[in-house]
Amino acid sequence: MSDTLGFEHALRKKNNHLWPARATLLAIGLALFSAVSDAEESYPNKVVKLVVPFAPGGATDMLGRVVAERLGAVWKQTVIVDNRGGASGTIGADSVAKSKNDGYTILLGTSSTHAVAPTLRPSLPYNAERDFAPITLVATTPFVLAVHPSIPAKSLAEFVSLAKEKPSQIPYDGTPGTAPHMAMELLSARAGIKLQPIGYRGSAPALMDLAAGQLHAAFSDVPPSLPFIRDGKLRALAVTSPKRLALLPEVPTVAEQGYPGYDGDAWLGLFAPAGTSPEIVRKIAAGLQPALSEASARKKLEEAGFTLIPGTPSEFAARIKNDIPKWRKVITDAGIKIE
């Protein structure tokens, strides 16, 4: 017994010189843990930057500015919008993927940047699943299938029949990688038709060409299409949403016209760089709920065609995981490539 006690005493004496270093490391670890906890607790205590990966003036930019304004009001902290357009949103998305993961740079990403781009752009500089922390889905936005009045189709069934009679002869807005293009390709795959895609630099010039008859069909954003539809310059055949829209209650959905389960809506959601504290991610998601429940903000966005459906980080991550293979199949089967 005495031998054992003597051995323990000797061992403790031998290692005495290590205790100061161990104590220092322990103190540093506790300090770092305390600093991280304080940062999470006080978030946000400085300006937050919301990167909108498209140019100012579009629907995504509009949503981003409302989100920034309302989150700022809830947090009592400034949230600024940083527009970084290019390459269908992937330039701005990449800038956030490479940002510091402290919650002060976040992204308003879209189905284009996170569900379509991983397949369509093989040289994508970021990994849509590994390089981001999904925060919350913010909204979905539907499209309306509109045709020029010269097209002898007054329903989706008639449009499909016409496309089968004239394969690859109906020109439509098919700028690769855009949400309207993907919506049309999804319909084409379900209906077994082939159209003639025409690329544009934006949705506005495509809509003008559609109204002028240079294009014969397009899936277009609803609000800018409404004046043309109401003036008889365009004919609405279907909407991509699961339910009919309040803005176009007389226009049936694609799903109810023979394609059950069809969902061609685009979605928009918030992302942080991978490694951002889960507590900060939850704080941002939680802040968005009261931010978008404010009556005037909700009305403004709903009139612009958005359906507001914020949720949890896990719900948003699950949607992205399901959407990537969905659009991969559409892109692969159609042989779509970026020129």
Side-chain angles (χ1 to χ4, degrees), residues 63 137-143 241-247 265-268 292 298 300-310 319:
L63 178 65
L137 183 64
V138 178
T140 59
T141 180
F143 303 105
S241 50
K243 297 180 180 180
R244 294 196 186 196
L245 303 176
L247 294 172
D265 287 3
W267 54 253
L268 306 95
L292 294 184
R298 176 172 287 275
K300 180 178 181 179
L301 293 174
E302 288 176 347
E303 287 177 348
F306 291 107
T307 299
L308 303 176
I309 44 175
R319 172 142 192 174

Side-chain angles (χ1 to χ4, degrees), residues 29-106:
L30 290 172
L32 288 173
F33 178 78
S34 177
V36 169
S37 298
D38 289 345
E40 293 173 347
E41 185 66 29
S42 62
Y43 178 89
N45 58 17
K46 61 180 181 180
V47 174
V48 176
K49 180 169 67 177
L50 174 62
V51 173
V52 173
F54 297 94
T60 305
D61 178 62
M62 174 191 174
L63 178 65
R65 292 183 184 279
V66 173
V67 167
E69 177 188 352
R70 294 307 309 152
L71 272 178
V74 169
W75 288 338
K76 296 180 172 52
Q77 183 58 258
T78 301
V79 181
I80 62 170
V81 171
D82 181 10
N83 292 94
R84 296 199 182 189
S88 297
T90 58
I91 291 175
D94 185 50
S95 73
V96 175
K98 294 176 171 57
S99 295
K100 189 175 180 181
N101 56 2
D102 58 2
Y104 289 94
T105 300
I106 56 180

Side-chain angles (χ1 to χ4, degrees), residues 7-332:
F7 175 76
E8 289 180 352
H9 177 74
L11 184 63
R12 196 176 293 116
K13 183 176 181 181
K14 179 180 179 182
N15 290 330
N16 273 346
H17 68 285
L18 296 178
W19 285 107
R22 289 173 176 168
T24 300
L25 288 173
L26 178 61
I28 291 172
L30 290 172
L32 288 173
F33 178 78
S34 177
V36 169
S37 298
D38 289 345
E40 293 173 347
E41 185 66 29
S42 62
Y43 178 89
N45 58 17
K46 61 180 181 180
V47 174
V48 176
K49 180 169 67 177
L50 174 62
V51 173
V52 173
F54 297 94
T60 305
D61 178 62
M62 174 191 174
L63 178 65
R65 292 183 184 279
V66 173
V67 167
E69 177 188 352
R70 294 307 309 152
L71 272 178
V74 169
W75 288 338
K76 296 180 172 52
Q77 183 58 258
T78 301
V79 181
I80 62 170
V81 171
D82 181 10
N83 292 94
R84 296 199 182 189
S88 297
T90 58
I91 291 175
D94 185 50
S95 73
V96 175
K98 294 176 171 57
S99 295
K100 189 175 180 181
N101 56 2
D102 58 2
Y104 289 94
T105 300
I106 56 180
L107 171 72
L108 181 60
T110 68
S111 46
S112 293
T113 60
H114 281 72
V116 173
T119 298
L120 193 60
R121 297 176 179 273
S123 58
L124 195 66
Y126 58 84
N127 184 293
E129 294 181 275
R130 290 200 304 266
D131 293 343
F132 297 88
I135 299 172
T136 178
L137 183 64
V138 178
T140 59
T141 180
F143 303 105
V144 55
L145 174 58
V147 297
H148 189 264
S150 63
I151 297 298
K154 293 182 170 58
S155 68
L156 181 56
E158 291 180 3
F159 177 77
V160 169
S161 295
L162 183 65
K164 288 181 176 179
E165 292 171 12
K166 300 181 177 182
S168 301
Q169 295 180 50
I170 298 178
Y172 79 100
D173 176 16
T175 305
T178 60
H181 177 219
M182 292 295 100
M184 187 68 89
E185 289 293 349
L186 181 60
L187 173 62
S188 297
R190 293 286 301 272
I193 59 176
K194 195 74 176 175
L195 307 174
Q196 181 189 359
I198 306 295
Y200 282 85
R201 295 183 66 86
S203 58
L207 183 59
M208 295 305 295
D209 271 7
L210 179 62
Q214 300 301 313
L215 287 179
H216 290 171
F219 270 119
S220 297
D221 291 317
V222 175
S225 303
L226 278 176
F228 296 101
I229 294 169
R230 288 170 178 164
D231 289 346
K233 294 178 180 178
L234 293 177
R235 183 185 302 127
L237 302 183
V239 291
T240 60
S241 50
K243 297 180 180 180
R244 294 196 186 196
L245 303 176
L247 294 172
L248 289 168
E250 72 285 359
V251 180
T253 68
V254 172
E256 69 182 281
Q257 296 186 78
Y259 304 95
Y262 176 93
D263 180 5
D265 287 3
W267 54 253
L268 306 95
L270 296 181
F271 295 85
T276 300
S277 158
E279 181 58 32
I280 288 177
V281 167
R282 284 192 291 270
K283 273 195 168 187
I284 300 172
L288 196 66
Q289 298 278 358
L292 294 184
S293 64
E294 195 273 330
S296 62
R298 176 172 287 275
K299 181 180 178 183
K300 180 178 181 179
L301 293 174
E302 288 176 347
E303 287 177 348
F306 291 107
T307 299
L308 303 176
I309 44 175
T312 67
S314 59
E315 289 169 344
F316 188 27
R319 172 142 192 174
I320 298 164
K321 187 175 182 179
N322 290 334
D323 270 12
I324 290 176
K326 166 186 170 180
W327 293 118
R328 180 185 298 127
K329 178 171 174 52
V330 171
I331 293 166
T332 303

